[in-house]
Amino acid sequence: MSEPSIVHRACPFCEATCGVAITVDGDTIVSVRGDKEDPFSQGFICPKAYGLKELYEDGDRLRRPLKRTGSGWQEIEWQTAVNEIADRMIAIREKHGNDAIGMYTGNPVVHDYGALLYRPVFQRALATRNLFNSAAIDTLPKIVQTALMFGRPFPTAVPVPDIDRTDHLLIIGANPVVSHGSLMSMPNAPGRLKGVSDRGGKVVVLDPRRSETAELADEHHFIRPGSDAALLLAMIHTLFEEGLVSLGAAEGLTRDLDEVEKAAEDFSPETVSNHCGIAATEIRRLAREFAAAESAACYGRLGTCVQEFGTLASWGCDLLNILTGNLDRPGGVMFTQPAAPIDAAFPPTKGFEINRWQSRVSHQPEVGGLVPSSTMAEEILTPGDGQVHAMFLLMTNPLRSAANSTQLERAFKQLDLIVAVDFYINETTQYADYILPTPSPAEHEHFDIGLNYLTVRNMAKWSNGIGAAQGDLPHSWEILATLGARLMGFEGMALSDIDDFILRQYADAALETNIQWQDLTTDEIVGKLDSPRGPQRLVDLLIRLGHYGDGFGRNPEGLTLEKVQASDHGLDLGALQPRLAEIINTDSGKIELAPPTMIDDLPRLQDRMRQTPDSMLLIGRRDLRSTNSFTHNLAALVKGPDRCTLQINPKDATRLGLVDGQSARITSRVGTVVAPVVITEELMPGVASLPHGWGHDAEGSQMQVAENHPGINSNVLTDDQAYDVASGAAILFGTPVQIEPAPQ
Ligand SMILES: Nc1nc2c(c(=O)[nH]1)N[C@H]1C(S)=C(S)[C@@H](COP(=O)(O)OP(=O)(O)OC[C@H]3O[C@@H](n4cnc5c(=O)[nH]c(N)nc54)[C@H](O)[C@@H]3O)O[C@H]1N2
Ligand SMILES: Nc1nc2c(c(=O)[nH]1)N[C@H]1C(S)=C(S)[C@@H](COP(=O)(O)OP(=O)(O)OC[C@H]3O[C@@H](n4cnc5c(=O)[nH]c(N)nc54)[C@H](O)[C@@H]3O)O[C@H]1N2
Ligand code: SF4
Ligand SMILES: [Mo]
């Protein structure tokens, strides 16, 4: 009998990074518990954490790479697969050019530091313009907005609500009680939200659905989908009108305040009230209370991003924070100080580039090297120079997560090559030529490089793997490094040599961007890094060069990876500190309050305000026990009543002849689905809600539990041609739909 041991790591199923303690006996996971000694999460977990065990045990999860053959899936050695894939990719590039291979990165990459750190290297090897990712679905407006205002690439300049110290939290289009926070990493979201009210502060929620967060808040207002930008401009209008503008820490650090005042002139509360569905007197009160609070934070998430005016709404949120002196002040919105700054992976440019080129077919702007994900299908389907003939999918299920799945499925079916780094045969990977599984999250180590830019406290935590990886599976970084090297022409190079080469590239870039330790050289860095090869060594590099770092001996008390690893439960690096001046990286050296991208998009908003919507508007809905689509094969997380239902207000249900429990047919410009109806006062009249990530009835997929709880795929309805013009992001919330009773 072996002795059970306890492995500590961060839970990978959402951005909250709760600490878990996994009890392991041999190669069996005995239990998953909240780690009470984790200084950040203090024992909090939600039901999804148990998914670590279920995912580890899931019999449908692939433990061998697969190759599609005439007679079905065949197991293949991963190095053989990588060689075959490289040969096919090189042939495609020779025939059609580099842009013929597209790449799509999914959400789970953020929880796999190897994938995150080796992706830039792999992308350089691919040298394609067709880079899509899930951030180009869910965050593009925020990426554009923070880049234009602060001059930095995402996620290095995202103001995060200082939730533990704020007196007033205005939540617009986010449901942290269920999502546990996004671009605001914080374990125990419900507790932290309650904390605001318990301290005598106030939580106000604006949402077309009386969400779980709205239930917990002090105040909730229904708001019509897509109208947030107008509402925020009306609040800003009020601030100017009533002399409430006061820049605080941003004083002297901004440009074009008068342009903002001018822009807000047309958006008086009376003008926007009807469009938003909120009375003018209430809008004024919201603005006054926000300005009067000792400290206040306006926080917008998916509801302010994946909608018709995502960039304007994201702009409005940060303007409200800046104009009331809440940017960079305790209790307002602040910038984290991550332990392992990823800047080293970015080229050291001043400012941030967007629109350096446009997508081939619909001329959408490039954003920091990304193309809006909604253009993927047209780039595959439209013949001509630069047409995409192959896709490399890194942990994503785009046939369930991207807009207009029917069209995307048609596109994927005609590709010459699909390679998926994924551990399920699901709705998307069923079309792959090769599936390269990597170990499940419990089996691999991790460090939250990306999410540490978004935490509500500064922290660092090392996540251990359980040390009993099943099968002979490569880690994602090994796949990316090996295949990348082949694409760059380094045939036969050992992985260790490839990795040493990559380390030098990182070190060179880090020294160029990092001015803290002037006399360091790449040789010294490389010589002193003795952590194991792979992502660990890169994290060590970033930590030691970072704000808290030991500077490779220059500051012996400073942080190293070893010190982080020595603390089983994670290190609390303190409350967020003011650091605005060092964040601003625009050409002007000031926060750009009125970028032309935003100002030029205002007439479109005014046009929309003049129209009366004549259809129902469809929005999404997250569930506590799902993470997008991939947790639906885990029995504990899908048991119970069907969650994939259409929620609708009683008034609309009566008008449309819908009956609770019966089915409705929902039709948009691009598709039709049928879903069971739930009639509830939770939904604003005129709005209906369906969750995404379901529709697990694809014939070729092999996920038995999910197949028994199929639900329907809401992205059959979302429209790839409907997007936020300023960023190109597809509209996932606010899709016009017709709803009628389905024949029983
Ligand atoms: N209509 C609508 N659409 C939406 C949304 C919405 O609210 N409404 N939300 C959007 C958002 S916010 C996002 S982020 C995207 C998410 O969209 P995706 O990034 O496509 O996320 P998933 O659908 O969960 O797919 C994740 C894939 O990665 C695989 N995977 C998971 N973990 C691992 C791992 O550790 N290793 C390997 N090798 N594979 C892994 C899974 O098997 C699955 O195939 O969806 C977006 N789509
Ligand atoms: N349990 C769970 N947690 C998750 C995920 C999950 O799938 N399940 N996914 C993770 C991911 S990838 C992400 S990106 C985050 C997302 O984190 P959140 O943004 O907090 O999640 P959503 O539930 O999509 O919240 C969006 C809210 O906006 C509202 N809304 C819709 N349209 C509008 C609008 O036009 N205006 C306004 N004001 N509100 C609107 C919706 O009703 C909803 O309450 O969650 C993460 N955490
Ligand atoms: S809130 Fe739940 S899913 Fe998110 S990190 Fe914590 S335990 Fe995991
Ligand atoms: Mo997301």
Side-chain angles (χ1 to χ4, degrees):
M1 280 283 288
S2 56
E3 274 291 299
S5 58
I6 296 185
V7 171
H8 297 96
R9 82 176 328 280
C11 167
F13 295 126
C14 86
E15 296 176 36
T17 70
C18 301
V20 292
I22 307 176
T23 305
V24 185
D25 191 351
D27 59 5
T28 304
I29 294 184
V30 180
S31 66
V32 180
R33 297 211 162 79
D35 178 5
K36 291 198 177 71
E37 289 172 73
D38 181 302
F40 196 37
S41 60
Q42 298 172 356
F44 178 89
I45 48 168
C46 84
K48 283 193 293 307
Y50 184 71
L52 274 163
K53 173 173 158 66
E54 280 207 306
L55 187 53
Y56 174 67
E57 293 168 353
D58 188 350
D60 288 336
R61 185 169 59 78
L62 301 178
R63 286 153 177 91
R64 307 279 301 167
L66 295 181
K67 175 186 179 176
R68 170 189 301 288
T69 67
S71 54
W73 294 108
Q74 209 173 64
E75 291 190 356
I76 181 172
E77 291 298 321
W78 80 268
Q79 277 98 344
T80 314
V82 163
N83 275 328
E84 289 185 16
I85 293 164
D87 289 342
R88 289 182 65 176
M89 284 185 158
I90 290 166
I92 289 171
R93 294 213 299 203
E94 276 168 6
K95 191 160 167 207
H96 302 289
N98 286 1
D99 293 339
I101 304 176
M103 173 166 174
Y104 190 158
T105 306
N107 171 273
V109 167
V110 86
H111 304 288
D112 177 343
Y113 79 141
L116 207 63
L117 285 168
Y118 286 74
R119 181 181 54 168
V121 182
F122 181 70
Q123 289 182 169
R124 233 168 284 157
L126 268 186
T128 173
R129 283 188 172 185
N130 287 308
L131 294 177
F132 312 95
N133 78 23
S134 58
I137 292 189
D138 72 359
T139 310
L140 209 55
K142 191 77 196 164
I143 298 178
V144 169
Q145 172 252 320
T146 51
L148 292 176
M149 292 178 83
F150 301 110
R152 276 183 182 274
F154 182 82
T156 64
V158 177
V160 177
D162 185 11
I163 189 167
D164 294 339
R165 291 184 288 186
T166 196
D167 297 290
H168 188 102
L169 183 61
L170 175 60
I171 300 179
I172 310 188
N175 188 10
V177 168
V178 166
S179 71
H180 289 276
S182 176
L183 307 190
M184 171 163 67
S185 284
M186 51 169 185
N188 194 3
R192 286 187 139 94
L193 286 165
K194 273 193 219 118
V196 179
S197 308
D198 292 350
R199 288 196 299 275
K202 189 167 183 178
V203 178
V204 179
V205 173
L206 306 181
D207 198 304
R209 182 172 160 259
R210 198 189 312 125
S211 64
E212 295 75 359
T213 304
E215 286 293 342
L216 195 142
D218 300 283
E219 192 175 315
H220 165 241
H221 300 264
F222 282 137
I223 182 166
R224 190 189 320 277
S227 69
D228 308 270
L231 173 108
L232 284 157
L233 283 163
M235 289 177 72
I236 289 161
H237 177 104
T238 306
L239 297 180
F240 281 108
E241 197 175 61
E242 304 190 2
L244 300 174
V245 172
S246 158
L247 297 183
E251 192 69 61
L253 295 175
T254 66
R255 233 167 66 106
D256 291 340
L257 184 62
D258 51 338
E259 283 270 325
V260 175
E261 181 169 14
K262 207 163 85 206
E265 259 166 28
D266 294 336
F267 294 87
S268 70
E270 289 71 19
T271 319
V272 308
S273 163
N274 196 32
H275 175 62
C276 303
I278 302 179
T281 47
E282 288 293 289
I283 298 175
R284 285 180 197 281
R285 183 176 61 79
L286 288 171
R288 286 180 199 133
E289 286 187 8
F290 193 91
E294 196 79 8
S295 65
C298 174
Y299 166 68
R301 195 48 193 110
L302 242 60
T304 56
C305 265
V306 297
Q307 56 132 298
E308 194 174 1
F309 298 97
T311 308
L312 287 180
S314 302
W315 177 55
C317 288
D318 275 348
L319 277 180
L320 190 62
N321 288 319
I322 296 169
L323 267 47
T324 51
N326 281 299
L327 178 66
D328 207 36
R329 102 163 151 202
V333 291
M334 305 187 77
F335 300 98
T336 52
Q337 184 69 268
I342 202 171
D343 302 52
F346 299 120
T349 48
K350 191 85 195 143
F352 180 78
E353 309 269 7
I354 71 169
N355 210 10
R356 284 168 294 187
W357 71 81
Q358 293 77 39
S359 68
R360 181 179 64 102
V361 180
S362 59
H363 311 291
Q364 301 278 12
E366 158 271 350
V367 178
L370 286 176
V371 201
S373 298
S374 54
T375 62
M376 197 163 26
E378 63 193 22
E379 292 296 333
I380 298 170
L381 290 168
T382 314
D385 267 1
Q387 181 182 7
V388 172
H389 292 273
M391 283 297 296
F392 185 86
L393 306 173
L394 183 58
M395 305 181 192
T396 180
N397 186 8
L399 296 190
R400 289 300 170 269
S401 54
N404 195 352
S405 335
T406 313
Q407 187 204 27
L408 195 58
E409 184 154 9
R410 196 156 56 79
F412 271 37
K413 280 183 183 167
Q414 76 166 51
L415 286 168
D416 296 341
L417 175 69
I418 300 179
V419 178
V421 177
D422 208 297
F423 48 44
Y424 281 125
I425 303 176
N426 63 18
E427 301 80 19
T428 302
T429 60
Q430 61 166 324
Y431 294 116
D433 297 283
Y434 296 88
I435 307 180
L436 304 173
T438 58
S440 78
E443 293 159 84
H444 66 75
E445 67 213 20
H446 177 65
F447 184 90
D448 275 305
I449 304 263
L451 294 178
N452 279 6
Y453 275 95
L454 305 163
T455 45
V456 301
R457 287 181 71 79
N458 293 315
M459 48 86 67
K461 184 182 171 87
W462 177 253
S463 285
N464 281 304
I466 61 171
Q470 301 167 324
D472 174 26
L473 290 183
H475 289 276
S476 53
W477 70 271
E478 295 174 295
I479 297 173
L480 296 174
T482 313
L483 186 55
R486 275 291 321 268
L487 293 178
M488 284 199 199
F490 298 123
E491 196 148 0
M493 195 168 173
L495 181 59
S496 54
D497 293 335
I498 299 169
D499 198 48
D500 289 348
F501 178 75
I502 292 170
L503 173 68
R504 283 197 161 264
Q505 289 198 326
Y506 261 90
D508 286 346
L511 287 181
E512 253 185 278
T513 42
N514 202 296
I515 44 157
Q516 215 180 151
W517 322 102
Q518 298 278 353
D519 58 331
L520 264 173
T521 62
T522 298
D523 283 339
E524 184 186 342
I525 290 178
V526 171
K528 286 184 173 167
L529 277 170
D530 50 11
S531 354
R533 284 199 173 84
Q536 270 203 59
R537 199 164 55 158
L538 296 183
V539 170
D540 199 8
L541 163 82
L542 299 177
I543 289 178
R544 296 176 76 174
L545 289 178
H547 175 79
Y548 312 93
D550 82 335
F552 290 91
R554 310 291 186 279
N555 169 27
E557 300 303 302
L559 215 52
T560 60
L561 178 63
E562 205 181 345
K563 287 185 189 166
V564 176
Q565 286 174 329
S567 85
D568 273 346
H569 311 285
L571 293 173
D572 181 23
L573 299 171
L576 303 184
Q577 299 295 324
R579 57 184 299 244
L580 178 58
E582 58 183 292
I583 289 287
I584 301 172
N585 187 44
T586 50
D587 286 335
S588 65
K590 305 267 164 131
I591 303 171
E592 296 290 348
L593 292 181
T597 304
M598 280 69 150
I599 301 295
D600 294 349
D601 203 23
L602 290 172
R604 187 173 67 95
L605 177 59
Q606 284 169 308
D607 276 353
R608 171 60 75 226
M609 283 166 56
R610 283 189 280 271
Q611 296 160 16
T612 318
D614 52 3
S615 332
M616 294 289 294
L617 296 177
L618 185 72
I619 62 170
R621 189 170 80 239
R622 285 185 149 68
D623 184 275
L624 185 59
R625 287 184 295 140
S626 297
T627 296
N628 298 313
S629 77
F630 85 94
T631 47
H632 293 159
N633 209 49
L634 309 179
L637 301 187
V638 287
K639 67 176 187 226
D642 186 5
R643 280 134 52 185
C644 190
T645 57
L646 181 83
Q647 291 189 348
I648 191 162
N649 182 281
K651 280 197 197 114
D652 293 315
T654 307
R655 183 171 53 84
L656 298 167
L658 302 177
V659 178
D660 195 273
Q662 293 193 0
S663 294
R665 179 157 57 201
I666 311 137
T667 305
S668 73
R669 188 188 76 84
V670 297
T672 297
V673 299
V674 172
V677 173
V678 169
I679 298 175
T680 165
E681 298 276 358
E682 277 172 22
L683 263 285
M684 182 179 187
V687 180
S689 157
L690 259 183
H692 76 287
W694 298 88
H696 300 298
D697 49 1
E699 226 167 76
S701 101
Q702 296 182 20
M703 297 171 71
Q704 289 181 44
V705 177
E707 278 160 32
N708 290 328
H709 303 263
I712 54 98
N713 171 16
S714 67
N715 281 316
V716 165
L717 299 170
T718 51
D719 187 343
D720 59 300
Q721 295 300 317
Y723 48 86
D724 164 40
V725 172
S727 66
I731 299 168
L732 303 178
F733 294 172
T735 304
V737 287
Q738 282 75 52
I739 304 178
E740 60 197 337
Q744 297 299 312

